[in-house]
Amino acid sequence: MRRVWAGIGQAVESAAIAAVGLVLCALVLLAVWGVDGGFAGDPLVQWRIAADAWLVGHGVDLSLQLGRDAVIAVGIEAASRPFAITLGAWGIGLITLWLHWRSGRRLAELPILDAGIATLCGALATGTVGLLAAVSAQHPIASPDLAQAFALPALVALVGMAAAIVRVHGHDWLDAASRALTIEDRWMRPIRAALRTGAGGAVAVLGVGGLVLGVGLFTRFAEGLLVMESLQVTHLGAFVLFLLQLALAPVAIVWAAAWAIGPGFMIGTGSHVSPLGTDLGPIPAMPLLSAIDPEAAPWMLAVVALPVVAAVVVGALARQTILAGEPSGPVHWWELAIAGVGGGVLAGALLGLAAMLSSGSIGPGRLAEAGPDAVLVAAWGALEVGVGLLIGLVVGGRGVGSLAREGEGSTIREVLGLRAGRDAADASAGGADADAQETRPVAPLAEPAPASLVTAEPATAEPQESSPVVAVSIEDQVQTQAVDPVDAPAGGAEATDDLPEPQRGGDGAHPIPSADDDERPR
């Protein structure tokens, strides 16, 4: 029953996340319809546009068949024929991904089977909302693909929740995988470095793309204002146009990163934008595209070095943290080679995937092809990031040492750096216990306690010269009950010089137990 309620709860939450995104898009367009349009026309048109925008933001293809008036307004003869919009405005999809990531962090607290069922229910609920939105937005002019409307939003939600769950339960799953997959200890360190430097290199190159985009928009700010004035939009329309630029910002960052790497991108068949040259035809009037300089300058070739420099920084940091040589295990040259080459290949694959998601059709005719070439971006990215990582790994330390000490072997957990963190935590906990034992106070040997608090051993007992001294705390002495002495029988043993007369029972054979007997060593 718990699994059923977990699935129902996540399905409701995922459906609410998708519905909120749709409602926000609809509210923006309804505001434009009411303020700028004076509530004239059919409000369902605004809803269809909002649903189309939300679906395109999740990568759903949108088929268009423009009317005669729209074709005249566009001014392109090919617009009279059916065409499709396949380039996703991923800014909207990233919001859905992030919200489901937060949901997945909460689902990770459930048992793994319950979390899996809830994740599947949430993805199905998101896909259902997308399908309903696509059905309601069907129109002869614009019609989203129904199959993609269900699958792609569901996939975005599934990736967000699954990534959060894997992050929390990765240790357990790696433990299970390590039973079958093992890696020798000498290969563990460079492979872990390759995984981390590859992901870090891809993020660094995308950061370079964001920097290039920002500099381009800043230096060509006047051209962007001219584009805004040519559109003749109202204040509210300018705000909606700004939101559209934000939705397309992830795509623009990937395009800028592809430009910085070298292959560049295209906006229409036959066009090319790269540091080597720019050949543009008619492009959509969007302020975000004003960052493109129509004339390539010689200094732009220096931009190609930025991804290499970013990879050098990542490699140097990895050498200092992951591949830090030690006297017992100095860094060997083949470790640097594996980390650099493997990291470059992984970074190239990630950049190629980003380029593939940022390519598609943005209009009729020649605008059916836009974006970077995923294969070229992957190849050039792997080469530049790999070279930068190798340089950073070499110069990031004191040099290449001798062969590292061979170990007995390691598991997949160690490759991803999970077991090392656990061992460090155990070592710190053991060190804390040792410190606590070392700092435990030991009471000095004091004068004998009063007779009311100490019970002596029988006179017949032999003295224990080598017995350890056990300190009795003040609280124990306070809590100890005083025992009244019992008169010893006639002829009993005499007390020693240092201790009072022992207390005996009525038969004189056994001492009366006291509270100190449990603590005083025998």
Side-chain angles (χ1 to χ4, degrees), residues 76 86 113 135 168 186 295 318 381 408 414 496 511:
I76 301 177
T86 60
L113 182 59
V135 170
V168 175
R186 59 178 180 175
E295 297 180 0
E408 298 178 354
E414 295 175 341
T496 61

Side-chain angles (χ1 to χ4, degrees), residues 449-458 480-484 499-504 511-517 520 522:
S452 60
L453 297 178
V454 179
T455 303
E457 294 289 341
T480 303
Q481 300 294 331
V483 180
D484 295 332
L499 296 176
E501 183 178 358
Q503 299 173 355
R504 298 180 178 275
I512 299 176
S514 65
D516 293 338
D517 289 345
R520 187 176 63 254
R522 298 289 183 179

Side-chain angles (χ1 to χ4, degrees), residues 24 52 58 65 76 121 138 177-178 203 236 299 328 350 371 387 413 457 467 485 519-521:
L24 289 178
D52 293 340
H58 290 78
Q65 176 64 64
I76 301 177
C121 292
Q138 293 294 315
S178 64
V203 173
L236 183 58
W299 62 267
S328 61
L350 295 176
V387 171
R413 293 174 298 171
E457 294 289 341
S467 300
E519 298 182 358
R520 187 176 63 254

Side-chain angles (χ1 to χ4, degrees), residues 51-80:
D52 293 340
W54 187 83
L55 292 171
V56 170
H58 290 78
V60 179
D61 295 345
L62 181 65
S63 300
L64 297 174
Q65 176 64 64
L66 300 181
R68 182 174 179 274
D69 296 339
V71 172
I72 296 175
V74 172
I76 301 177
E77 182 182 358
S80 60

